[in-house]
Amino acid sequence: MKIYNTLSKRKEEFVPLEEGRVKMYVCGPTVYNLIHIGNARPMIVFDTVRRYMEHKGYEVNFVSNFTDVDDKIIKKAIEEGVEASVISERYIKECMKDMQGMNIKPATTHPKATEEICGMLDMIGTLIEKGHAYAAADGTVYFRTRSFKGYGKLSHKNLDDLQGGNRSLLVTGEDQKEDALDFVLWKPKKDGEPYWESPWCNGRPGWHIECSVMSKKYLGDEIDIHAGGEDLIFPHHENEIAQSEAANGKPFAKYWMHNAFLNIDNKKMSKSAGNFFTVRDISEKYDLQVLRFFMLSAHYRSPLNFSAELMEAAQNGYDRIVTCVDNLNYLLEKVTAGSMREEEKKLMEEARGFIAKFDEAMDDDFNTADAIAAIFELVKFVNTNADVQRSQEFLLGLKEEIVTLSDICGLIVEKKKEMLEEDIEALIQERQNARKVRDFKRADEIRNELLNKGIILEDTREGVKWKRA
Ligand code: AMP
Ligand code: ZN
């Protein structure tokens, strides 16, 4: 399995630090609003990476944080006249709802910045002790960027270019910095803001320190994969590397993965220009599975353009897979139990070729576009070769392949319709009638049909009982 590593700027063979296990950290959203479809891209992409790793047999420890203390959260809290935690808790809940709609697995741990302040104070203390950080007169603590030799290795930037050219490095309190490149680890509180006590001042953490601390606490000093959107490469991830490696004295993450941006109608998403959608907006018009399909239809390192036409195309693509599985289920209701015939075994071999293609695409830096193309080839193959003459084993085998590959992409393609109670009772009655006239073939057919729909029958002395599987 090859992964493109931003650190080396090339695809590298994936070798985990510990055999059979993957430690993975993905920077999560700042929770002050409903998440937008741009935020959904890394969520869907890295959930798919995780699913594929799990499919390959790795045990994945997946950590993704919520940034729940930040200027934007505080601003919103002041506007609404509530505590900052009211805002962050509200939007964490909403974010989880959207994630469920997009079939994103909950992380092994979803830490929140405000619950990890102790760890942050510890790491800042260590950095000061080691000479990598210092407190200015007003209590602001800065990271001494030039003290960390590897600074710039992820973004492939040169320190002296940064010094001259990047104004974004000049944050408030710059006059107290030793050097314009230094960045904030801890800052004094302002009136009305949430704050914590610290040896340097009552205040709150800078943004970057939370990820270094949470990653260390939940995954250890060294991890396999660290990921996020490409806007995070600099300064966020560069700063995380500086903090973690300077504090721990060990290499931080082995592979750095970054998704490209999602644009709308070929323009940067912007609220003021009106080209901005939340995941919730999309869910009013589409099943969020269609959004997921859309995101995976491009390689994660290619910019992706969102438009109504492309969403329609995604809807059609997704429907094609769902319809194929629907048809297989329809055929499965028609056929009786039976195993694969010789000719079908050969066809099954051919079908396995599409799985190999799928794996090959995913092994090549998670090329989901080609992986979905392989699912489509399989769908076409099934549409040509599946009919009522086929054996149950053959049809079940095909269905399992499509469902498994789709599931690796996090796509739910089998809509399980719950049977109505009255329909179940009616079939049970029909089965009883068949048994009375000793038509056991029909009785068995009905039992099988119900089983296929997830209804289990139990014949007891008091009559037939049923339950959902
Ligand atoms: P934020 O809440 O801004 O910290 O963003 C959370 C995650 O969403 C980060 O990994 C960002 O890189 C990512 N992100 C934000 N906007 C976009 C976008 N338009 N396209 C892709 N990823 C994005
Ligand atoms: Zn982060």
Side-chain angles (χ1 to χ4, degrees):
M1 188 182 355
K2 287 203 160 57
I3 297 185
Y4 181 89
N5 191 349
T6 308
L7 202 56
S8 63
K9 282 182 146 177
R10 57 182 182 82
K11 284 184 199 168
E12 292 175 28
E13 189 60 36
F14 177 70
V15 184
L17 291 164
E18 205 183 311
E19 211 184 311
R21 288 170 196 263
V22 179
K23 290 180 265 189
M24 183 164 179
Y25 186 98
V26 181
C27 293
T30 307
V31 277
Y32 67 101
N33 224 331
L34 289 174
I35 57 162
H36 58 64
I37 53 175
N39 299 137
R41 191 171 190 194
M43 287 179 179
I44 291 172
V45 161
F46 298 116
D47 178 63
T48 306
V49 168
R50 171 195 189 170
R51 284 169 181 268
Y52 186 62
M53 297 263 188
E54 286 175 345
H55 165 72
K56 286 250 181 177
Y58 289 107
E59 190 186 306
V60 183
N61 191 345
F62 188 100
V63 177
S64 190
N65 65 309
F66 285 117
T67 299
D68 63 347
V69 56
D70 158 273
D71 289 344
K72 293 185 223 104
I73 298 172
I74 293 168
K75 184 165 169 263
K76 188 140 187 165
I78 292 170
E79 279 166 17
E80 289 192 20
V82 294
E83 299 272 308
S85 59
V86 173
I87 301 293
S88 59
E89 270 162 33
R90 181 196 305 159
Y91 290 110
I92 286 174
K93 237 186 238 151
E94 298 296 350
C95 177
M96 294 286 212
K97 214 190 268 175
D98 288 337
M99 284 170 64
Q100 202 183 0
M102 295 184 288
N103 199 24
I104 290 162
K105 286 183 158 194
T108 316
T109 318
H110 273 296
K112 296 175 199 146
T114 55
E115 291 172 6
E116 307 291 340
I117 303 290
C118 271
M120 297 192 218
L121 297 180
D122 276 353
M123 190 176 276
I124 296 171
T126 306
L127 288 169
I128 293 177
E129 253 169 54
K130 291 191 169 184
H132 288 295
Y134 58 94
D138 68 348
T140 307
V141 183
Y142 293 102
F143 186 88
R144 190 176 274 129
T145 301
R146 282 181 193 277
S147 75
F148 177 68
K149 291 287 162 281
Y151 198 82
K153 65 181 172 185
L154 181 71
S155 51
H156 306 279
K157 287 180 193 292
N158 173 302
L159 279 191
D160 295 315
D161 293 347
L162 286 176
Q163 175 91 66
N166 199 320
R167 295 190 65 82
S168 67
L169 289 168
L170 306 173
V171 295
T172 47
E174 66 196 58
D175 45 339
Q176 304 200 5
K177 287 193 210 177
E178 290 175 359
D179 188 298
L181 290 177
D182 296 350
F183 58 89
V184 172
L185 298 174
W186 187 264
K187 55 188 169 192
K189 77 175 181 95
K190 293 195 198 117
D191 279 346
E193 288 188 355
Y195 69 91
W196 292 264
E197 288 176 4
S198 86
W200 316 289
C201 64
N202 287 345
R204 61 185 168 102
W207 172 33
H208 315 298
I209 192 73
E210 68 180 81
C211 292
S212 284
V213 167
M214 296 176 190
S215 183
K216 180 183 171 81
K217 176 165 170 189
Y218 295 101
L219 298 171
D221 290 355
E222 295 180 76
I223 70 169
D224 294 291
I225 300 174
H226 196 116
E230 66 183 2
D231 58 321
L232 300 186
I233 298 174
F234 187 85
H236 185 54
H237 286 165
E238 197 68 72
N239 291 354
E240 279 190 40
I241 293 179
Q243 295 162 162
S244 295
E245 298 194 357
N248 304 330
K250 288 186 197 146
F252 181 27
K254 211 170 158 190
Y255 305 90
W256 286 85
M257 296 180 74
H258 295 98
N259 63 274
F261 255 43
L262 177 80
N263 298 315
I264 297 193
D265 292 327
N266 290 311
K267 283 179 237 115
K268 200 171 181 293
M269 245 198 286
S270 137
K271 247 184 187 169
S272 51
N275 60 339
F276 178 94
F277 293 111
T278 61
V279 169
R280 205 57 63 84
D281 292 334
I282 301 304
S283 74
E284 280 163 18
K285 198 156 174 224
Y286 295 96
D287 182 338
L288 287 179
Q289 288 291 297
V290 177
L291 183 67
R292 183 162 185 133
F293 184 97
F294 162 77
M295 295 281 184
L296 297 178
S297 62
H299 190 275
Y300 75 93
R301 283 189 293 112
S302 305
L304 179 57
N305 189 46
F306 182 92
S307 69
E309 296 82 65
L310 289 173
M311 278 300 279
E312 285 308 313
Q315 175 82 64
N316 291 337
Y318 173 64
D319 286 349
R320 238 158 89 196
I321 309 176
V322 173
T323 306
C324 179
V325 175
D326 255 6
N327 282 340
L328 282 171
N329 278 335
Y330 171 79
L331 294 175
L332 278 163
E333 274 175 26
K334 301 269 161 217
V335 300
T336 44
S339 40
M340 252 195 280
R341 298 185 282 267
E342 278 314 307
E343 174 216 351
E344 290 175 338
K345 283 183 188 158
K346 283 203 192 96
L347 284 171
M348 209 58 193
E349 274 309 303
E350 219 178 300
R352 294 218 174 87
F354 302 117
I355 301 184
K357 262 191 171 172
F358 177 95
D359 281 359
E360 204 181 304
M362 292 298 273
D363 280 341
D364 183 17
D365 191 31
F366 309 96
N367 190 338
T368 52
D370 285 0
I372 287 180
I375 299 183
F376 278 152
E377 285 187 65
L378 178 59
V379 163
K380 199 170 154 208
F381 177 87
V382 170
N383 291 344
T384 319
N385 290 293
D387 56 48
V388 274
Q389 315 301 331
R390 296 294 181 196
S391 69
Q392 187 192 46
E393 191 188 8
F394 178 69
L395 296 173
L396 274 175
L398 291 177
K399 179 179 144 186
E400 196 187 309
E401 291 195 359
I402 299 186
V403 171
T404 303
L405 298 189
S406 303
D407 185 55
I408 294 170
C409 296
L411 294 168
I412 302 166
V413 291
E414 188 173 23
K415 304 270 182 219
K416 292 215 168 68
K417 292 184 214 95
E418 287 240 309
M419 272 189 92
L420 294 176
E421 231 165 88
E422 59 209 63
D423 294 339
I424 300 169
E425 303 284 0
L427 275 171
I428 291 176
Q429 193 50 53
E430 194 191 330
R431 177 168 170 266
Q432 294 300 79
N433 296 343
R435 277 157 55 130
K436 261 190 216 144
V437 297
R438 306 188 65 82
D439 183 356
F440 296 115
K441 185 165 169 277
R442 178 66 194 138
D444 281 351
E445 264 172 24
I446 293 172
R447 174 188 277 274
N448 269 341
E449 189 182 330
L450 285 168
L451 195 60
N452 265 335
K453 290 182 173 155
I455 306 298
I456 299 166
L457 297 189
E458 201 185 336
D459 293 309
T460 69
R461 277 190 203 180
E462 295 83 46
V464 183
K465 288 189 175 156
W466 64 269
K467 60 178 184 195
R468 295 186 198 270

